[in-house]
Amino acid sequence: VNTPLIGGDLKRAAQTPGPWSISMMGFGEMLPSHRNKVTLDRNRKDKYGLPVLNFDAAHEENELAIGKAIVDDALEMMSAAGYRDVRSFKVQANVGAGIHEMGTARMGRDPKTSVLNAHNQAWDAANLFCTDGACMASSANQNPSITYMALTARAVDYAVDQMKRNAL
């Protein structure tokens, strides 16, 4: 039976080195790039008969430099904190591996350079609103979920107003 330790027994056991390890990872900003794009593959269809998406995107010099800085900083922090046998490893991070990817449907003032207008409404489809991170070209390090909620509330308010005017 593996009985949890408490009190003095726990304190004494915690002073004995064990097989413990710790790891750290980080995410960095991916800058907007006109080279990154999503297109429709008209030759391949999904189960509904619609064209599948082709993603053509890559990390560039800035993202690679941020990745190196994250590893260097993590090694420095762990060493300064007194950890022993500190070493790094590299995982190939593909575009889209992060949880806050953004910018595939840029918001802007010109339909030639953006997909969405200021109300998160698609220039080419008046009844299509996109209120996730796709409209944002970039973000800081905090979780953007509250921003998505605000964008959604604003877009819904606009859409309801347009529907009341029979403009949508």
Side-chain angles (χ1 to χ4, degrees):
V1 176
N2 192 1
T3 306
L5 300 175
I6 59 171
D9 290 338
L10 174 61
K11 289 180 183 178
R12 281 186 288 285
Q15 294 173 10
T16 304
W20 305 299
S21 65
I22 186 170
S23 65
M24 181 185 291
M25 65 180 292
F27 290 92
E29 177 184 21
M30 185 169 178
L31 295 178
S33 170
H34 288 289
R35 287 185 288 275
N36 293 334
K37 61 185 176 276
V38 177
T39 56
L40 293 176
D41 185 338
R42 305 233 180 244
N43 298 317
R44 295 186 319 151
K45 310 283 186 197
D46 66 11
K47 66 181 182 179
Y48 303 105
L50 299 171
V52 298
L53 297 177
N54 281 329
F55 290 88
D56 183 8
H59 290 128
E60 297 184 10
E61 183 180 345
N62 184 71
E63 292 76 40
L64 298 174
I66 287 174
K68 182 181 180 327
I70 288 170
V71 170
D72 293 347
D73 290 350
L75 291 172
E76 182 181 347
M77 285 186 271
M78 289 186 160
S79 295
Y83 289 98
R84 297 184 300 269
D85 192 22
V86 177
R87 57 186 182 267
S88 69
F89 60 92
K90 183 171 175 124
V91 175
Q92 180 63 38
N94 295 319
V95 174
I99 58 173
H100 298 145
E101 303 295 355
M102 300 178 167
T104 55
R106 179 187 293 255
M107 179 193 290
R109 293 185 179 94
D110 183 349
K112 292 178 183 159
T113 59
S114 59
V115 176
L116 306 172
N117 67 20
H119 303 288
N120 293 80
Q121 180 183 33
W123 291 108
D124 296 332
N127 65 341
L128 175 63
F129 291 82
C130 182
T131 61
D132 66 354
C135 71
M136 301 166 69
S138 186
S139 76
N141 65 330
Q142 70 280 357
N143 187 313
S145 297
I146 293 175
T147 302
Y148 300 161
M149 291 169 23
L151 289 169
T152 301
R154 187 181 68 163
V156 167
D157 184 60
Y158 174 78
V160 167
D161 179 65
Q162 293 299 297
M163 289 174 69
K164 286 179 181 176
R165 298 171 189 237
N166 290 322
L168 183 62

